[in-house]
Amino acid sequence: MSELHKAMLWSPDEEQRVRCELCGHRCVIAKSRYGVCRVRENVEGVLRTHSYGSVVAVNVDPIEKKPLFHFLPGTKSLSIAAAGCNFQCEFCQNWQISQLPQTRGGGAKGEAVSPEQIVSAALAHDCKSISYTYTEPTVFFELAYDTGKLAHERGLKNCFVSNGYLTPLAVETIAPYLDAINVDLKAFRDETYRRVMKARLEPVLTCLRAIVKQGIWLEVTTLVVPGMNDSPEELRDIARFISGELGPHVPWHVSRFHGDYHMTDTPATPTETLRMACDIGRREGLRFVYSGNVTGLCDESTYCPSCEEMLVDRYGFSVREVRLQDGACPNCGEGIEGIWA
C-alpha cells in the first residue's frame, strides 16, 4: 500500500499520540489507532487519512437534491463521496458507504480519484458546483479542501452536505473555498445525539454559529423521525434556534423519514407531522420553510415573504422558472437571501 495522505488539523501529543482538531469528537489517538471516524489513523506519530484515495460515489445531481434551494437553482452539481462518517446514526440511509470503515475495522476502500479529475468531470458535465455529500465531507476534508481550491480557480462553486460536526477551526479553514452548506440538525436534545448518533448536540450548534460567522451560505435540514424528534416542543426549539441565532432568512427543510439501517421498524413520518413542522417554522419567524422526501405535500416553490409572489417555481428536484431579478422580488423589490447567479 502506498503511503497514506497526511491529514490536516491535528497536533502531536505525548508518547506519539496525536490530537485531531477536525471534528467535535476531538479524538486523542494512540499510535497505530484510529479516530472515531475510523479513517484517520496515527501512523508513527503522524495523523494520516485513508479517505483521500477512497472515492465511492460520483454522480451528477440537481442542486435541489442536496437540498439547497437558495443556491444556483436549476443547476447541476457533481456529487462525490468518500467512505466514512464521524456519526453512527441508527437511521442512516447511506450506511453501506458511510459505515464501511466501521464494518472493516478501520481504513477505507474506494477509487483513487484526484482533485484534477473531479474538477474536470464537473466541467465536462456542465456542472456549476461540486457537492461533497452522501457520506460526511468532514472525514474526507483533505480531498474536499484540495478539490475545492482547484474548483474555485476554474470558476466552480463548492457545497457540503454535512452533519455539522466540524470544529470552528475546520470551518475557518475551508471557508475560503466553501460557498454553501446544508447541515442536518438531527434533533435538539443532547440525549438523542448521544444515543442515536453517537455524538453530542453542542458541537453541532457551535459549528452552525461558526458557519454563519464565516459568511458561508447555510441551509438546515431536519429529518423528522417519529418518536425521536417529532414533538411540537422540540420542533419549536429547532425553529427558534435557527431563527434567533442563525437568522430568519436561513431556509429550513423538514424531511420525511423512511425506515432504514437499524430503524426499519420505525414508521414513516405522517404527513400531518410535516405540516405541523412547517407551520411551527413559520410561526417562529422563519422566512423559508420547505418539506422534503414527499412531493406534493407542501408547495416547494420559493415565495417572496413580503408580497407572496412566486420567485422560484419548483416541483421536487425540478426548477421550472426562476423569476428573481438581481436577487430580488420582481414585484415588490424585496431582497431574497441566497446565491442566485
Side-chain angles (χ1 to χ4, degrees):
M1 182 178 67
S2 59
E3 185 176 78
L4 296 173
H5 194 88
K6 187 176 180 179
M8 299 171 64
L9 306 182
W10 63 278
S11 59
D13 199 11
E14 298 176 353
E15 299 178 354
Q16 286 198 303
R17 292 177 299 190
V18 298
R19 291 180 177 270
C20 182
E21 296 293 339
L22 178 63
C23 89
H25 291 300
R26 298 183 184 272
C27 297
V28 177
I29 309 170
K31 181 181 174 182
S32 302
R33 300 289 185 178
Y34 294 92
V36 169
C37 62
R38 309 294 291 177
V39 296
R40 293 166 78 80
E41 181 183 6
N42 180 342
V43 181
E44 300 294 334
V46 176
L47 189 61
R48 297 191 178 275
T49 173
H50 289 257
S51 288
Y52 205 93
S54 64
V55 173
V56 292
V58 181
N59 294 296
V60 176
D61 289 327
I63 193 65
E64 286 73 23
K65 191 176 180 180
K66 299 303 101 190
L68 285 166
F69 278 15
H70 288 230
F71 180 82
L72 306 182
T75 64
K76 295 184 293 185
S77 187
L78 186 75
S79 298
I80 70 164
C85 188
N86 51 357
F87 280 17
Q88 298 175 46
C89 301
E90 293 184 359
F91 51 79
C92 182
Q93 297 179 338
N94 288 320
W95 60 271
Q96 296 93 337
I97 52 177
S98 72
Q99 301 304 309
L100 181 62
Q102 301 289 341
T103 60
R104 287 167 49 91
K109 182 180 181 181
E111 183 177 354
V113 181
S114 70
E116 291 79 8
Q117 289 172 309
I118 295 168
V119 171
S120 294
L123 292 169
H125 287 89
D126 194 30
C127 295
K128 302 303 179 185
S129 63
I130 298 174
S131 292
Y132 309 84
T133 180
Y134 301 142
T135 57
E136 173 50 51
T138 306
V139 303
F140 58 99
F141 188 88
E142 292 79 9
L143 179 61
Y145 182 90
D146 288 352
T147 304
K149 186 176 181 180
L150 182 60
H152 265 203
E153 293 172 0
R154 302 291 296 277
L156 295 168
K157 295 189 181 299
N158 298 292
C159 319
F160 272 15
V161 181
S162 174
N163 59 29
Y165 223 55
L166 296 95
T167 61
L169 175 61
V171 174
E172 181 182 356
T173 301
I174 196 69
Y177 311 111
L178 185 61
D179 302 283
I181 184 170
N182 187 299
V183 171
D184 289 326
L185 184 50
K186 298 173 185 286
F188 214 72
R189 304 290 184 264
D190 187 65
E191 187 278 332
T192 303
Y193 264 88
R194 290 179 183 273
R195 175 174 54 86
V196 181
M197 277 66 82
K198 310 301 184 291
R200 293 177 294 122
L201 172 62
E202 186 53 42
V204 180
L205 305 184
T206 299
C207 174
L208 286 163
R209 296 182 187 107
I211 290 166
V212 171
K213 181 180 178 181
Q214 291 295 329
I216 301 164
W217 176 251
L218 169 66
E219 304 192 20
V220 175
T221 294
T222 300
L223 183 69
V224 182
V225 181
M228 189 189 85
N229 63 356
D230 62 339
S231 71
E233 294 78 14
E234 186 161 358
L235 292 168
R236 181 204 62 209
D237 290 345
I238 293 172
R240 189 168 292 177
F241 170 79
I242 297 171
S243 182
E245 294 210 37
L246 307 180
H249 64 281
V250 173
W252 187 31
H253 303 262
V254 289
S255 294
R256 192 181 194 193
F257 166 85
H258 299 279
D260 210 334
Y261 198 31
H262 295 317
M263 292 180 65
T264 54
D265 292 335
T266 303
T269 316
T271 54
E272 313 86 73
T273 303
L274 292 184
R275 287 194 182 94
M276 175 185 70
C278 290
D279 290 342
I280 288 171
R282 296 187 184 101
R283 285 201 303 270
E284 292 300 325
L286 292 173
R287 288 158 59 88
F288 308 102
V289 183
Y290 303 100
S291 60
N293 290 349
V294 51
T295 301
L297 171 65
C298 302
D299 193 334
E300 296 164 306
S301 298
T302 299
Y303 292 86
C304 175
S306 293
C307 70
E308 300 185 351
E309 180 83 0
M310 180 185 284
L311 302 175
V312 182
D313 184 1
R314 187 185 291 110
Y315 186 80
F317 299 141
S318 299
V319 171
R320 295 180 283 208
E321 184 182 13
V322 179
R323 301 190 61 240
L324 286 154
Q325 293 181 357
D326 297 324
C329 172
N331 185 53
C332 72
E334 175 84 5
I336 308 300
E337 296 88 350
I339 297 176
W340 305 111

